[in-house]
Amino acid sequence: MIERFWSTAKPMTVNPYWSSYYAGLATTLIASDGTGAIGFSNSTSTYYEYYGYTYGSLSSTDTLDFVPVTLETGSAYTFISAGSYQTSISIFDSNGYLHLFNDGDDIGIPDGYPYDSMIAFEPDSSGTYYVMVGYEYGSYTGSWELAVARDVGNDGSNSLLTTTTTTTTTTTNTILGSDSADILVGTSGADIMSGYAGDDGLSGGDGSDVI
């Protein structure tokens, strides 16, 4: 399974070079794909609130998969894909327009197995997006994995994690005798005991006592 991660994202708009013609082709591919959506679960990371994971495979007749995912403005998302060969990932909106694309070789560092690619993305509108997963070379086939982290507020912290503070309260008991003979027994807490006059027996019990 892909390790969890986090990366700062900036708001992204549609790729200005992606025409309506290409958008139409993309929507046709998306409509005929049928890959299941990726959902989110609460994260235990200190950097982001939610995490999602899915996987699939590519064949000679299915060279691209489009994974539906619901994204919200005000949150930063980091996607990472990995596979048997160098994967590429692209983010499309529901109208087929391309927002981001990356394959791992774009950063100039040769990948070793499991050959991953990463995209940090902050949508400029909420809705359903499609993460396209493919191989750098369309003739390659094999399995792939896709993981996503959602950082609400793009602040690099997990607001769902809570800190529990335990406060211990110590009760002090005052136990007073009389001028005659007394037997005074303290409690398990802190006690202040005074027998006054007379032949007294005092036992403070547990705790920090003043007798």
Side-chain angles (χ1 to χ4, degrees):
M1 181 176 176
I2 300 174
E3 293 184 359
R4 301 187 178 191
F5 52 86
W6 172 80
S7 178
T8 302
K10 296 180 179 180
M12 298 299 299
T13 57
V14 173
N15 186 316
Y17 302 104
W18 197 257
S19 68
S20 59
Y21 172 77
Y22 291 123
L25 294 177
T27 54
T28 299
L29 291 173
I30 290 170
S32 62
D33 182 67
T35 301
I38 187 170
F40 289 92
S41 301
N42 289 3
S43 168
T44 58
S45 169
T46 57
Y47 300 111
Y48 50 87
E49 284 83 356
Y50 302 100
Y51 175 80
Y53 172 81
T54 190
Y55 59 92
S57 62
L58 300 174
S59 66
S60 59
T61 57
D62 179 22
T63 58
L64 297 172
D65 281 337
F66 292 84
V67 182
V69 59
T70 300
L71 305 183
E72 298 181 17
T73 57
S75 291
Y77 298 84
T78 304
F79 295 89
I80 184 170
S81 65
S84 304
Y85 302 97
Q86 181 63 62
T87 58
S88 63
I89 46 178
S90 307
I91 299 179
F92 294 86
D93 60 30
S94 58
N95 294 315
Y97 284 92
L98 176 67
H99 288 250
L100 274 178
F101 165 82
N102 184 42
D103 64 57
D105 287 341
D106 285 346
I107 60 176
I109 301 175
D111 279 340
Y113 183 82
Y115 307 108
D116 56 12
S117 294
M118 181 183 292
I119 282 181
F121 179 67
E122 185 177 349
D124 57 1
S125 62
S126 300
T128 300
Y129 289 77
Y130 296 86
V131 182
M132 187 189 78
V133 181
Y135 283 125
E136 186 178 13
Y137 300 103
S139 59
Y140 290 169
T141 62
S143 61
W144 55 263
E145 299 175 273
L146 178 68
V148 55
R150 177 189 174 192
D151 174 24
V152 179
N154 195 14
D155 56 5
S157 64
N158 187 344
S159 61
L160 301 181
L161 297 181
T162 57
T163 302
T164 302
T165 302
T166 302
T167 302
T168 302
T169 302
T170 301
T171 301
T172 301
N173 302 293
T174 301
I175 304 174
L176 302 177
S178 64
D179 289 336
S180 59
D182 303 306
I183 297 177
L184 306 180
V185 179
T187 67
S188 60
D191 304 309
I192 299 176
M193 307 176 69
S194 177
Y196 293 112
D199 189 6
D200 304 314
L202 285 74
S203 175
D206 295 332
S208 179
D209 304 312
V210 177
I211 300 176

